[in-house]
Amino acid sequence: MEKLEQGLLMQPWAWLQLAENSLLAKVYITKQGYALLVSDLQQVWHEQVDARVVSQRAKELNKRLTAPPAAFLCHLDDLLRPLLKDTACPSKATFVCDHVAEALILRVRSELSGLPFYWNFHCTLASPSVVSQHLIRPLMGMSLALQCQVRELATVLHMKDLEIQDYQESGAVLSRDRLKTEPFEENTFLEQFMVESLYMAVTRQEIQGRQKHQGTGDPQPSSSASPQGTENQLLNQPEEPAPSLPVPEKEPPGTSGPVHRPQLSKVKRKKLRGLFS
């Protein structure tokens, strides 16, 4: 069972497109059993069973089929893996999701060896530790990694500005005015991106969703009830205009004398074609 837990942790989340709604899911199946996590972004359900439970449940649901547990597990893997990897892939099975009390039952119907095959995933509410292990901690780690990448890109942009400034001080001139850009203000961008663009956008969407659910506040436009619709609604929010950034003063030219026009030929290297004349 420990192998199933570790294998499930390594699996990525994917959209499970059903006829009535869409769910986030991840599954890990071996010959010894399977582990499944399903979420509608409101709750998380979990099931983990071994080969003994698979054999017993298969006998209850498929009285005409006789096969070892590994065969049933292999068939379930063949049904779920393409569906989670490619939502456009036509499924060989029918999936129906039912809510029973606090449990979620994912019913599967397909064919195995020319006979009807039925299977029910009985998922119960996941414990807080499972939710933290598979959702909260990975998301926090990804957020920190994203912030590090943004800072690295901001450093690269700042170095590009210094490079352009050096070309201009050497006498280079843009051949097309539409290519002119303002110097990148790293501190202003990082503050706006980390605090306003990410955190405030997410929390604002959460507050609007709660107000709509409770029937309070201003009415919100109707949207898809699926988690993917909520995701698209957040991604499609109009971005707030960025404040105009001050242009830093140029450093005074060196004391080595005026720059002669022939030096401009050194700047016109092959890699700069299309930027400077």
Side-chain angles (χ1 to χ4, degrees):
M1 300 299 284
E2 183 179 353
K3 181 180 179 181
L4 289 176
E5 295 175 0
Q6 295 177 354
L8 182 64
L9 185 61
M10 298 300 297
Q11 301 304 309
W13 288 92
W15 285 109
L16 179 61
Q17 300 289 347
L18 304 179
E20 63 276 9
N21 53 16
S22 300
L23 300 170
L24 278 176
K26 58 189 309 189
V27 63
Y28 183 70
I29 302 177
T30 68
K31 294 181 179 180
Q32 286 73 39
Y34 68 79
L36 173 68
L37 270 177
V38 181
S39 175
D40 61 355
L41 298 186
Q42 298 294 330
Q43 293 177 310
V44 181
W45 295 271
H46 176 240
E47 185 186 32
Q48 183 170 310
V49 299
D50 56 16
R52 180 183 58 83
V53 177
V54 170
S55 179
Q56 181 180 357
R57 191 179 301 176
K59 291 179 181 179
E60 296 173 355
L61 297 174
N62 306 275
K63 299 185 182 300
R64 299 173 59 188
L65 284 173
T66 302
F72 295 123
L73 289 167
C74 182
H75 183 61
L76 290 174
D77 188 46
D78 292 339
L79 295 177
L80 285 173
R81 188 178 298 276
L83 194 63
L84 293 176
K85 284 189 175 182
D86 184 8
T87 56
C89 177
S91 176
K92 299 178 181 179
T94 301
F95 293 82
V96 178
C97 182
D98 294 330
H99 293 268
V100 180
E102 293 185 346
L104 181 142
I105 300 179
L106 185 60
R107 307 183 189 275
V108 183
R109 179 178 180 179
S110 67
E111 288 188 1
L112 180 60
S113 300
L115 294 175
F117 173 78
Y118 303 92
W119 187 260
N120 295 339
F121 292 96
H122 294 272
C123 303
T124 58
L125 285 177
S127 64
S129 62
V130 171
V131 176
S132 175
Q133 186 180 25
H134 289 271
L135 273 176
I136 298 177
R137 282 188 284 179
L139 287 175
M140 293 292 291
M142 292 168 60
S143 177
L144 293 175
L146 175 63
Q147 294 180 25
C148 292
Q149 291 179 357
V150 169
R151 290 191 177 95
E152 291 177 0
L153 291 174
T155 302
V156 172
L157 288 175
H158 180 65
M159 296 301 297
K160 291 293 184 182
D161 282 343
L162 294 178
E163 182 180 353
I164 292 174
Q165 182 179 356
D166 181 70
Y167 290 149
Q168 292 174 341
E169 292 175 353
S170 298
V173 180
L174 274 175
S175 60
R176 288 167 286 185
D177 291 339
R178 63 182 178 84
L179 298 178
K180 185 177 181 180
T181 58
E182 298 294 336
F184 179 71
E185 185 60 39
E186 181 178 354
N187 294 333
T188 302
F189 172 79
L190 290 177
E191 180 180 357
Q192 182 182 6
F193 180 81
M194 300 299 181
V195 178
E196 182 176 355
S197 299
L198 288 180
Y199 181 79
M200 292 187 64
V202 173
T203 53
R204 186 187 301 116
Q205 180 70 21
E206 179 68 18
I207 293 174
Q208 291 177 354
R210 290 181 180 178
Q211 289 178 345
K212 180 179 179 181
H213 180 71
Q214 298 174 358
T216 60
D218 298 333
Q220 300 296 329
S222 60
S223 62
S224 173
S226 66
Q228 192 171 10
T230 304
E231 181 190 49
N232 294 335
Q233 189 180 37
L234 176 60
L235 294 177
N236 293 332
Q237 282 187 341
E239 297 181 357
E240 298 180 1
S244 58
L245 305 178
V247 180
E249 297 181 359
K250 296 182 179 179
E251 298 180 0
T255 57
S256 57
V259 179
H260 298 287
R261 196 61 179 178
Q263 291 182 352
L264 195 56
S265 59
K266 298 181 180 180
V267 181
K268 294 174 58 179
R269 292 171 292 183
K270 185 176 181 180
K271 67 176 183 179
L272 298 177
R273 289 182 179 177
L275 289 177
F276 302 99
S277 61

